[in-house]
Amino acid sequence: MKSHYDVVVIGSGMGGLVAANILAREGRSVCVLEKNNQYGGNLQTFVRERTIFDTGVHYLGGLSKGQNLYRYFDYLDILDGLHLKKLNDDGFDIITFDNDTVSYPHAQGYENFITQLTAQFPEEKSAITTYCSKLKEVCHKFPLYNLEEGKPYGNDAEIFQQSAKEYIESITTNTKLRAVLAGSNLLYAGDPDKTPLYVHALSINSYIESAYRCADGGSQITKLLIRRLREHGGEAYKHSEVVDMTCENKQLKSVQVKDGTIVSGDLFISNIEPKHTLKMIGEEHFRKSYNYRIEQMESTISAFSIHIVLKPETFKYLNKNYYHFKDYRKVWEGHKYTKESWPETYMISMGVRKNQGEWGEQLTAITYMNYDEVAVWENTVNTVAHKNERGQDYEDFKKEKTEKLLDELEKKFPDLRNCIQSVYTSTPLSYRDYIGCNKGSMYGYVKDVNDPLKSFISPRTKISNLYFTGQSLNMHGILGVTISGVVTCSEILGGEYLINKIKGATSKQNKEKITA
């Protein structure tokens, strides 16, 4: 590690790695500092009994040729090394409810989406078609979503003031269809009173366009980005937690790594939680109003997950995800559970291998969990790099929750327990410690239709050479944080210049592939 770089990136989540790659391609000397044993933030994977599990990324959208994430990945030159499995065309997501034997599909391709749902709701074709048109219309208003130059959030102020729940209710009176259209809202921690329609649209649209799983886990994306970064002269270091930052005269001078190493730079990009960033720099370097606004930002709810290693040849591989609710009338209220009613909802996803056969090796189930449930253990930290057992009470808590979630899963898959070889868990503390998100938040800060500017964070800060990137910047998810890396670099390089560079590079690479 050198003592000085043009750009120092703190944290190696997807947004940070995208920004690091862009700037290294532009000839800057770049250093990425990561505290964990793995790079990648939510792209981290872990192995239990030779079985690979994803930490947070269970499927990707927009990765078919010519689509938005495909074009960004093409520019980053990581497409050729990716091993992907396309999910079922006629139902990549399946929405189900207690006391209802019907499975309601979300299909790939808008025409197919309409066809498959109309088969379940023959009288509602007009509403389903209107819904699909609206999703495309909303997404079209976000330039970077479509690789066009412009403000990250477009120019239409009204788009931030439309509620997802209210819009869906406005197009149909069919309560079951309403529930189905909103059925995958665990993707963005949907809130009936707060979630804007644009969050729903940006989250859902790319999956309808195409939906894939990463074979052998999402960490392959990280490995490719690190490889490309190094090919362009960039550097990345694990086990390098930034513990202090030195700021003088409204400029960040250097950061200190846990082992005492001092790294200085011309520019700094923080891919870690903004609240944590401000505290490390020192709140005295920012206006009180800015500190207060960041501190008061509400984080989305956290999650509890169980990761099941399946006995060999006992459970068929499912090339789709399930979103299940106890009550179809409460699809927006899964986070409002009580101790007795938990879990109100869950999502099931299975990992896939490069040469996937008919039998599954693992299954992950995710549901909401409030941080308050684990706050009693919040002063403990437990990661691969920092082992620290939380005690028997914590183990008992996890076991109790695991059994309750398994009880719910067995209603859908009655023989599931007989297929289980072992079960591992993640709580809000796991996500907090490994991902670095505030209170284990699933998706950064809450987007509130009642106060759109409340959760807006500019990539620029009042420290002239400090920038933010990552899911707290605009949108979460692989596409969202990829765009956040572009947004951050647009502030440094110029938006028009960078978008033209991305579009030009993808065109050139396409021509080279055709010629070859």
Side-chain angles (χ1 to χ4, degrees):
M1 197 184 297
K2 296 192 287 284
S3 61
H4 184 89
Y5 295 87
D6 295 336
V7 184
V8 178
V9 180
I10 306 159
S12 70
M14 184 78 182
L17 289 180
V18 169
N21 268 271
I22 291 171
L23 294 170
R25 289 168 73 116
E26 292 294 313
R28 310 286 180 101
S29 63
V30 180
C31 175
V32 177
L33 301 173
E34 169 56 50
K35 73 171 184 175
N36 280 323
N37 190 46
Q38 280 188 63
Y39 300 111
N42 268 311
L43 283 167
Q44 293 175 76
T45 55
F46 59 95
V47 179
R48 297 290 183 269
E49 300 172 46
R50 299 182 180 179
T51 304
I52 301 169
F53 290 92
D54 279 296
T55 298
V57 177
H58 301 285
Y59 60 139
L60 308 170
L63 259 180
S64 286
K65 190 168 184 177
Q67 294 172 355
N68 48 17
L69 190 58
Y70 179 98
R71 294 170 70 193
Y72 279 118
F73 278 16
D74 192 22
Y75 162 73
L76 293 164
D77 197 19
I78 61 173
L79 278 172
D80 288 346
L82 280 183
H83 299 281
L84 301 168
K85 169 76 171 176
K86 194 176 188 189
L87 294 174
N88 288 352
D89 279 329
D90 291 342
F92 64 92
D93 281 345
I94 306 296
I95 315 302
T96 59
F97 310 99
D98 274 5
N99 306 312
D100 185 346
T101 58
V102 179
S103 295
Y104 301 93
H106 286 187
Q108 297 189 55
Y110 273 104
E111 286 188 19
N112 195 26
F113 184 94
I114 294 167
T115 298
Q116 298 300 327
L117 269 191
T118 301
Q120 303 291 350
F121 300 96
E123 307 298 319
E124 296 290 335
K125 184 173 182 179
S126 175
I128 297 166
T129 303
T130 299
Y131 166 80
C132 290
S133 297
K134 187 67 171 181
L135 292 193
K136 290 186 278 188
E137 176 194 324
V138 169
C139 292
H140 186 69
K141 294 183 178 181
F142 290 78
L144 288 174
Y145 193 82
N146 305 292
L147 272 84
E148 298 295 338
E149 200 271 325
K151 294 179 181 179
Y153 286 107
N155 297 305
D156 187 350
E158 287 185 14
I159 205 167
F160 303 104
Q161 298 166 3
Q162 190 163 23
S163 156
K165 179 174 182 285
E166 287 179 3
Y167 173 74
I168 291 171
E169 290 179 350
S170 75
I171 60 172
T172 178
T173 57
N174 188 311
T175 52
K176 186 63 67 76
L177 178 59
R178 289 174 174 178
V180 171
L181 293 178
S184 56
N185 68 31
L186 201 143
L187 277 170
Y188 49 85
D191 185 295
D193 304 314
K194 296 178 180 178
T195 300
L197 177 61
Y198 82 87
V199 169
H200 174 87
L202 294 177
S203 299
I204 303 299
N205 173 74
S206 57
Y207 291 113
I208 295 177
E209 290 188 336
S210 64
Y212 294 84
R213 282 183 180 146
C214 283
D216 295 335
S219 62
Q220 60 174 299
I221 298 174
T222 306
K223 290 169 186 172
L224 287 165
L225 285 170
I226 293 290
R227 190 181 305 162
R228 297 292 176 261
L229 174 66
R230 288 174 172 154
E231 286 172 2
H232 289 286
E235 300 171 23
Y237 299 93
K238 294 183 284 189
H239 305 290
S240 298
E241 181 178 2
V242 171
V243 294
D244 195 18
M245 302 182 183
T246 300
C247 185
E248 297 174 4
N249 300 318
K250 296 294 182 183
Q251 273 217 324
L252 206 54
K253 297 296 184 182
S254 63
V255 296
Q256 181 179 335
V257 180
K258 197 166 189 177
D259 66 2
T261 303
I262 304 293
V263 184
S264 63
D266 296 328
L267 299 177
F268 295 82
I269 297 174
S270 177
N271 190 200
I272 60 176
E273 169 72 48
K275 293 181 183 184
H276 188 44
T277 305
L278 297 193
K279 285 174 182 171
M280 271 204 290
I281 293 173
E283 294 180 345
E284 67 274 13
H285 296 289
F286 301 89
R287 291 178 182 171
K288 286 184 179 179
S289 58
Y290 184 76
N291 284 319
Y292 181 79
R293 189 169 78 83
I294 298 294
E295 187 55 40
Q296 292 302 306
M297 281 187 174
E298 179 186 359
S299 298
T300 56
I301 192 170
S302 189
F304 178 84
S305 303
I306 58 173
H307 313 280
I308 299 171
V309 179
L310 296 163
K311 293 176 183 174
E313 299 187 3
T314 59
F315 194 97
K316 293 283 182 70
Y317 168 71
L318 302 169
N319 198 37
K320 54 194 172 186
N321 307 302
Y322 279 93
Y323 289 87
H324 184 81
F325 299 84
K326 286 182 177 176
D327 188 342
Y328 72 91
R329 295 162 298 184
K330 296 182 178 180
V331 292
W332 291 100
E333 297 175 12
H335 59 296
K336 297 181 180 179
Y337 64 84
T338 64
K339 184 177 180 180
E340 292 72 30
S341 71
W342 184 92
E344 297 267 4
T345 179
Y346 59 78
M347 179 248 198
I348 289 175
S349 186
M350 296 187 76
V352 65
R353 302 303 297 260
K354 287 174 186 172
N355 300 303
Q356 181 64 50
E358 66 172 316
W359 298 103
E361 294 185 5
Q362 55 100 314
L363 180 150
T364 294
I366 307 166
T367 188
Y368 292 124
M369 179 171 280
N370 288 307
Y371 182 79
D372 290 349
E373 292 205 56
V374 295
V376 66
W377 301 286
E378 70 178 350
N379 292 325
T380 63
V381 175
N382 186 21
T383 65
V384 171
H386 304 282
K387 281 290 182 188
N388 182 3
E389 298 302 320
R390 304 192 203 270
Q392 189 58 45
D393 287 349
Y394 182 67
E395 297 303 315
D396 292 342
F397 168 82
K398 291 194 295 182
K399 186 175 180 180
E400 177 192 347
K401 294 295 185 180
T402 298
E403 290 302 314
K404 287 195 75 171
L405 185 48
L406 283 173
D407 286 343
E408 291 302 318
L409 298 184
E410 280 208 309
K411 293 177 184 177
K412 183 176 295 296
F413 305 107
D415 198 42
L416 179 60
R417 271 191 168 89
N418 292 329
C419 304
I420 295 174
Q421 183 168 301
S422 52
V423 181
Y424 300 89
T425 59
S426 299
T427 75
L429 293 178
S430 313
Y431 293 108
R432 180 201 67 178
D433 291 353
Y434 279 96
I435 311 301
C437 41
N438 184 51
K439 296 187 175 181
S441 167
M442 293 170 80
Y443 306 120
Y445 299 133
V446 172
K447 309 293 190 294
D448 190 345
V449 73
N450 306 295
D451 192 355
L453 293 177
K454 184 178 180 182
S455 60
F456 174 78
I457 296 182
S458 169
R460 284 188 177 273
T461 72
K462 297 300 180 183
I463 306 294
S464 63
N465 62 339
L466 171 67
Y467 298 82
F468 286 131
T469 199
Q471 69 174 5
S472 298
L473 201 61
N474 44 18
M475 281 291 291
H476 61 275
I478 292 298
L479 178 58
V481 294
T482 296
I483 291 172
S484 82
V486 174
V487 170
T488 302
C489 291
S490 293
E491 294 288 337
I492 298 167
L493 301 171
E496 184 178 359
Y497 168 83
L498 180 55
I499 287 297
N500 286 335
K501 208 70 182 292
I502 293 171
K503 291 165 77 171
T506 55
S507 298
K508 182 181 177 184
Q509 286 162 16
N510 286 335
K511 286 177 183 175
E512 288 173 351
K513 287 172 187 174
I514 291 168
T515 305

